[in-house]
Amino acid sequence: PPKLTNQHRHQANSTLTDQRTMGNTTKIGIVTDRTSYWSGSILRGTVYLQVSQEDGVRATSVNLRLRGLEIAVVHKTETDDQDCPHNHHSHHSHHSHVDHYGHHESYERETESFLNLDVPIAHFADGTIRAGRYEFPFELTLPESLPASMVVREGKSMCEVRYELEARLVSQGGFFGWMKSKSEDTRVIRILGTPRDGTDAPAVIMPPETERVNSCCCSDQGSMTLQSEINKGVLSPRENATISFRCRNDSTVICKRVEIKLHEKITWKTRSRTQVVRTILCRQVESGDSLPELRKLHRTPRRYIGGSSDYESVLMSSEENKRSYTIVVPPDVRGTYFGTLIEVRHLLTVTLKTPCCHNSPESCISMTIRPAALSSPVPFAPPLAQDVEIPQAEVVSLPPDWSAVTAGLVSVPVAQAMVVNENHSQLTTSPPLSNQSAYAQASAPPGDTMGSAKSLNKIETELSSSHDQVGLIERYASDVSIVPSLQNLSPDEYVCLLMKVRYAGEQTKIARIVASLMDTHFTCAHVAACVGSLPQNVKMDVLREVVPLACDLDQNKDLIERELSGMEKIHLEAALR
C-alpha cells in the first residue's frame, strides 16, 4: 500500500465531509498522492472513513468514482424587445436577470460527461459498516488518451474540461432497489493529457494551388501559385518547427508580404449558443520585396504555356525558390481536442498578402498539438498552468489520536474495467463485486468491451466517442464478431468511417488497418471515394498507404486517376513504385 504520511494527510487538500443522520455523524474523506497526472499513469490515494454511530451505518460498499466532464457556459446580453428563452434539460440550464439599463444578462450552461468510472473498493456483506475508523488505500490506472484539463474564459463565458474523483458510501434503497449514495467527498484532479511517444510525426506537404487574383471580386489581374509544407504534423509546447513554401506571382498585383501564422481556435457550445475564441500563437512575416518570385508582372498574362497541373509540378520539384522559416510553439498552448461541447483546433496558414480590395491566396495545414514525450518512465506532473484552477478544499486535519483499521490495497485496472455505455457514449464499469469479508480488496473484473456483433452505425458511434481511435480499430480487427462488418464496407461506408477520425495522422493509420483487413474486398472504388471526399491535407497521405492494397488496381486504376490532378497523379505513380 502507498505510504501516506501525516504531512500528506494534513496538506493534500483533503476534507472529511460530515453526513448527519439521526443526530449521529459519518465522515468520509479522500487523499491523493498528487494533484496532477498524465493519461495512462497511476493515481494513488486513500479513502478515510469514520463511523460514530453505535449501531453503525447502513451501506453495502465504499465506491470510488472518476468523472470527466465538459462544461460550457455562454453569456449573452439581450434588450427588452428580444425574446429570452428559458429551456430546461437534465444537463442544460438557463439563468437570466435584468440590470438597471433594461438589459437581460443571461447565461446558458451545458454539461456533458465523457468519462464515468464507478467501482467498489470495499464491500460489506451484511450491509452495515460498524462504528470505527477505516482506511482504504487504492491505486487507479487512468485511461489512455484522456484530454487535458483546461479552463478558458471569454468575458463572462467560459468552458472547462474537468475531472472529479469522488469517494462515497453506497447502499441499496429507493425504488426497485436502486443504488443510492449516502456520504461522499469529491475533489478535483488535473489531467495533463497524453504525451507523445517520442518519435517525430511525418511531414505534411500541401500540393501547389493556383488562385486567380481579382480586384473588387470581378477584375481578373492574373494568378498566384502557393505551395507549403511543415517538417512535422504533430507539435508540442516549446518545440521548433520548420515551415517551407514555394510561390510565384503571375499577376499585375503587388504582394506586400508573406505571413506565416499558427492559429488556435477554441469553440464551445450550449443548446442554442456558441462562443468562439481565436488566438494567433506565433507569427513570421517576410516582406514581398525580398522575394524575387513575387514581383508583379507589367501586364496581365493572356495565356499559359502548358496546363496548370504541369506548371505546378515544375514548381513542386524546384528547390531554387523554396523558402524556409522556423516557428516556436508557445509554452502555454492548449492541446488539440474534439469533444461534444468543446473543440480546440490548430491551423498553420501561409498567406500572400495583397493590397486592399484584392483577395490574398492562402495555404492552410491542419495541425495537432500534444504534450511532449516523457523523458522519464515515471510521469511526474509539471507546475500547474495559469488557466487551470484546482479548487482548494478546506483542510481538516485528522485527529491526533487517529488510529484506523487499514484494508488491503485495491488496484483498479481501468483498461479492463471500462465498457461503453450505448445511451450516453460514456465510460462506465461492470457491477460491483461481492466479497466474503466485511471489507476486502475489490478490483473490477475484466469487462467485455466490445460485446456481440456490431452494426456499422454502432462502430461509428463508438469510434466518434473514443479517445484512442487507433487502438479501438486495432481491437476491432482482432474481434471475430466485428471483422465481417468491416470487411464488407462499401466505398461510401469506408469514407464515412475515416471521417469519424479526428487527427490527420490517425486517419492514415486507420485507413491502412481497415484496408488490410478488407483484403480482396478493398478495390479502386474505395480509393477513389477517399480521393473525392477526404480533406486536402490528408488525401495524399491516405492515397500513398492504401493504393497498393487495392485488389483490382491493374484493371481499374483509371477510377482513381479520374479523381486526381496532375500533381496528384505524380504522387500516385510514386506510391506504386
Side-chain angles (χ1 to χ4, degrees), residues 39-54:
S39 296
S41 64
I42 297 177
L43 184 157
R44 295 182 175 89
T46 300
V47 174
Y48 297 94
L49 175 64
Q50 176 175 307
V51 179
S52 301
Q53 297 93 316
E54 293 182 0

PDB file of all heavy atoms in Angstrom, residues 39-54:
ATOM      1  N   SER A  39      -2.249  11.023 -18.623  1.00  0.00           N
ATOM      2  CA  SER A  39      -3.106   9.929 -19.056  1.00  0.00           C
ATOM      3  C   SER A  39      -2.303   8.634 -19.043  1.00  0.00           C
ATOM      4  O   SER A  39      -1.141   8.608 -19.441  1.00  0.00           O
ATOM      5  CB  SER A  39      -3.630  10.181 -20.472  1.00  0.00           C
ATOM      6  OG  SER A  39      -4.453  11.309 -20.512  1.00  0.00           O
ATOM      7  N   GLY A  40      -2.933   7.554 -18.575  1.00  0.00           N
ATOM      8  CA  GLY A  40      -2.261   6.268 -18.526  1.00  0.00           C
ATOM      9  C   GLY A  40      -1.388   6.055 -17.306  1.00  0.00           C
ATOM     10  O   GLY A  40      -0.868   4.952 -17.122  1.00  0.00           O
ATOM     11  N   SER A  41      -1.207   7.075 -16.456  1.00  0.00           N
ATOM     12  CA  SER A  41      -0.400   6.912 -15.252  1.00  0.00           C
ATOM     13  C   SER A  41      -1.255   6.339 -14.120  1.00  0.00           C
ATOM     14  O   SER A  41      -2.454   6.114 -14.273  1.00  0.00           O
ATOM     15  CB  SER A  41       0.220   8.244 -14.836  1.00  0.00           C
ATOM     16  OG  SER A  41      -0.794   9.175 -14.479  1.00  0.00           O
ATOM     17  N   ILE A  42      -0.648   6.112 -12.969  1.00  0.00           N
ATOM     18  CA  ILE A  42      -1.340   5.507 -11.831  1.00  0.00           C
ATOM     19  C   ILE A  42      -1.632   6.577 -10.785  1.00  0.00           C
ATOM     20  O   ILE A  42      -0.733   7.295 -10.346  1.00  0.00           O
ATOM     21  CB  ILE A  42      -0.501   4.370 -11.224  1.00  0.00           C
ATOM     22  CG1 ILE A  42      -0.307   3.250 -12.255  1.00  0.00           C
ATOM     23  CG2 ILE A  42      -1.175   3.802  -9.977  1.00  0.00           C
ATOM     24  CD1 ILE A  42       0.564   2.115 -11.759  1.00  0.00           C
ATOM     25  N   LEU A  43      -2.887   6.683 -10.417  1.00  0.00           N
ATOM     26  CA  LEU A  43      -3.337   7.600  -9.364  1.00  0.00           C
ATOM     27  C   LEU A  43      -3.438   6.802  -8.071  1.00  0.00           C
ATOM     28  O   LEU A  43      -4.171   5.810  -8.002  1.00  0.00           O
ATOM     29  CB  LEU A  43      -4.681   8.209  -9.763  1.00  0.00           C
ATOM     30  CG  LEU A  43      -5.310   9.270  -8.862  1.00  0.00           C
ATOM     31  CD1 LEU A  43      -6.281  10.131  -9.691  1.00  0.00           C
ATOM     32  CD2 LEU A  43      -6.071   8.687  -7.688  1.00  0.00           C
ATOM     33  N   ARG A  44      -2.717   7.212  -7.057  1.00  0.00           N
ATOM     34  CA  ARG A  44      -2.720   6.515  -5.769  1.00  0.00           C
ATOM     35  C   ARG A  44      -3.309   7.411  -4.691  1.00  0.00           C
ATOM     36  O   ARG A  44      -3.132   8.626  -4.716  1.00  0.00           O
ATOM     37  CB  ARG A  44      -1.306   6.088  -5.385  1.00  0.00           C
ATOM     38  CG  ARG A  44      -0.686   5.055  -6.319  1.00  0.00           C
ATOM     39  CD  ARG A  44       0.692   4.636  -5.842  1.00  0.00           C
ATOM     40  NE  ARG A  44       1.237   3.560  -6.665  1.00  0.00           N
ATOM     41  CZ  ARG A  44       1.956   3.736  -7.760  1.00  0.00           C
ATOM     42  NH1 ARG A  44       2.224   4.979  -8.168  1.00  0.00           N
ATOM     43  NH2 ARG A  44       2.401   2.715  -8.451  1.00  0.00           N
ATOM     44  N   GLY A  45      -3.971   6.790  -3.739  1.00  0.00           N
ATOM     45  CA  GLY A  45      -4.548   7.570  -2.651  1.00  0.00           C
ATOM     46  C   GLY A  45      -5.160   6.682  -1.597  1.00  0.00           C
ATOM     47  O   GLY A  45      -5.030   5.446  -1.613  1.00  0.00           O
ATOM     48  N   THR A  46      -5.867   7.315  -0.659  1.00  0.00           N
ATOM     49  CA  THR A  46      -6.514   6.620   0.446  1.00  0.00           C
ATOM     50  C   THR A  46      -7.853   7.272   0.739  1.00  0.00           C
ATOM     51  O   THR A  46      -7.970   8.504   0.713  1.00  0.00           O
ATOM     52  CB  THR A  46      -5.639   6.646   1.712  1.00  0.00           C
ATOM     53  OG1 THR A  46      -4.395   6.004   1.436  1.00  0.00           O
ATOM     54  CG2 THR A  46      -6.320   5.949   2.881  1.00  0.00           C
ATOM     55  N   VAL A  47      -8.862   6.446   0.991  1.00  0.00           N
ATOM     56  CA  VAL A  47     -10.166   6.931   1.457  1.00  0.00           C
ATOM     57  C   VAL A  47     -10.221   6.721   2.966  1.00  0.00           C
ATOM     58  O   VAL A  47      -9.953   5.611   3.453  1.00  0.00           O
ATOM     59  CB  VAL A  47     -11.319   6.180   0.765  1.00  0.00           C
ATOM     60  CG1 VAL A  47     -12.658   6.590   1.368  1.00  0.00           C
ATOM     61  CG2 VAL A  47     -11.305   6.449  -0.733  1.00  0.00           C
ATOM     62  N   TYR A  48     -10.540   7.777   3.707  1.00  0.00           N
ATOM     63  CA  TYR A  48     -10.664   7.716   5.161  1.00  0.00           C
ATOM     64  C   TYR A  48     -12.143   7.722   5.529  1.00  0.00           C
ATOM     65  O   TYR A  48     -12.926   8.505   4.969  1.00  0.00           O
ATOM     66  CB  TYR A  48      -9.977   8.914   5.813  1.00  0.00           C
ATOM     67  CG  TYR A  48      -8.486   8.964   5.568  1.00  0.00           C
ATOM     68  CD1 TYR A  48      -7.959   9.704   4.517  1.00  0.00           C
ATOM     69  CD2 TYR A  48      -7.610   8.266   6.390  1.00  0.00           C
ATOM     70  CE1 TYR A  48      -6.597   9.746   4.279  1.00  0.00           C
ATOM     71  CE2 TYR A  48      -6.246   8.294   6.162  1.00  0.00           C
ATOM     72  CZ  TYR A  48      -5.748   9.045   5.104  1.00  0.00           C
ATOM     73  OH  TYR A  48      -4.398   9.071   4.880  1.00  0.00           O
ATOM     74  N   LEU A  49     -12.522   6.881   6.453  1.00  0.00           N
ATOM     75  CA  LEU A  49     -13.915   6.774   6.873  1.00  0.00           C
ATOM     76  C   LEU A  49     -13.982   6.680   8.388  1.00  0.00           C
ATOM     77  O   LEU A  49     -13.254   5.888   9.008  1.00  0.00           O
ATOM     78  CB  LEU A  49     -14.567   5.531   6.240  1.00  0.00           C
ATOM     79  CG  LEU A  49     -15.992   5.201   6.673  1.00  0.00           C
ATOM     80  CD1 LEU A  49     -16.959   6.307   6.256  1.00  0.00           C
ATOM     81  CD2 LEU A  49     -16.436   3.854   6.104  1.00  0.00           C
ATOM     82  N   GLN A  50     -14.859   7.493   8.976  1.00  0.00           N
ATOM     83  CA  GLN A  50     -15.108   7.432  10.413  1.00  0.00           C
ATOM     84  C   GLN A  50     -16.610   7.280  10.643  1.00  0.00           C
ATOM     85  O   GLN A  50     -17.403   8.110  10.188  1.00  0.00           O
ATOM     86  CB  GLN A  50     -14.601   8.693  11.123  1.00  0.00           C
ATOM     87  CG  GLN A  50     -14.920   8.717  12.610  1.00  0.00           C
ATOM     88  CD  GLN A  50     -14.309   9.914  13.313  1.00  0.00           C
ATOM     89  OE1 GLN A  50     -13.101  10.143  13.202  1.00  0.00           O
ATOM     90  NE2 GLN A  50     -15.122  10.684  14.011  1.00  0.00           N
ATOM     91  N   VAL A  51     -17.008   6.225  11.323  1.00  0.00           N
ATOM     92  CA  VAL A  51     -18.411   5.964  11.663  1.00  0.00           C
ATOM     93  C   VAL A  51     -18.554   6.097  13.171  1.00  0.00           C
ATOM     94  O   VAL A  51     -17.933   5.342  13.930  1.00  0.00           O
ATOM     95  CB  VAL A  51     -18.841   4.562  11.197  1.00  0.00           C
ATOM     96  CG1 VAL A  51     -20.292   4.292  11.580  1.00  0.00           C
ATOM     97  CG2 VAL A  51     -18.658   4.419   9.686  1.00  0.00           C
ATOM     98  N   SER A  52     -19.380   7.079  13.595  1.00  0.00           N
ATOM     99  CA  SER A  52     -19.544   7.361  15.030  1.00  0.00           C
ATOM    100  C   SER A  52     -20.797   6.728  15.613  1.00  0.00           C
ATOM    101  O   SER A  52     -20.921   6.632  16.832  1.00  0.00           O
ATOM    102  CB  SER A  52     -19.576   8.876  15.266  1.00  0.00           C
ATOM    103  OG  SER A  52     -18.390   9.474  14.795  1.00  0.00           O
ATOM    104  N   GLN A  53     -21.759   6.338  14.783  1.00  0.00           N
ATOM    105  CA  GLN A  53     -22.987   5.745  15.290  1.00  0.00           C
ATOM    106  C   GLN A  53     -22.698   4.397  15.967  1.00  0.00           C
ATOM    107  O   GLN A  53     -21.965   3.577  15.431  1.00  0.00           O
ATOM    108  CB  GLN A  53     -24.002   5.537  14.150  1.00  0.00           C
ATOM    109  CG  GLN A  53     -24.448   6.834  13.488  1.00  0.00           C
ATOM    110  CD  GLN A  53     -23.611   7.180  12.278  1.00  0.00           C
ATOM    111  OE1 GLN A  53     -22.389   7.064  12.334  1.00  0.00           O
ATOM    112  NE2 GLN A  53     -24.265   7.629  11.212  1.00  0.00           N
ATOM    113  N   GLU A  54     -23.301   4.199  17.120  1.00  0.00           N
ATOM    114  CA  GLU A  54     -23.064   2.945  17.836  1.00  0.00           C
ATOM    115  C   GLU A  54     -23.558   1.742  17.044  1.00  0.00           C
ATOM    116  O   GLU A  54     -22.952   0.672  17.090  1.00  0.00           O
ATOM    117  CB  GLU A  54     -23.755   2.994  19.204  1.00  0.00           C
ATOM    118  CG  GLU A  54     -23.151   4.022  20.154  1.00  0.00           C
ATOM    119  CD  GLU A  54     -23.831   3.995  21.519  1.00  0.00           C
ATOM    120  OE1 GLU A  54     -24.766   3.174  21.683  1.00  0.00           O
ATOM    121  OE2 GLU A  54     -23.439   4.775  22.395  1.00  0.00           O
TER     122      GLU A  54
END
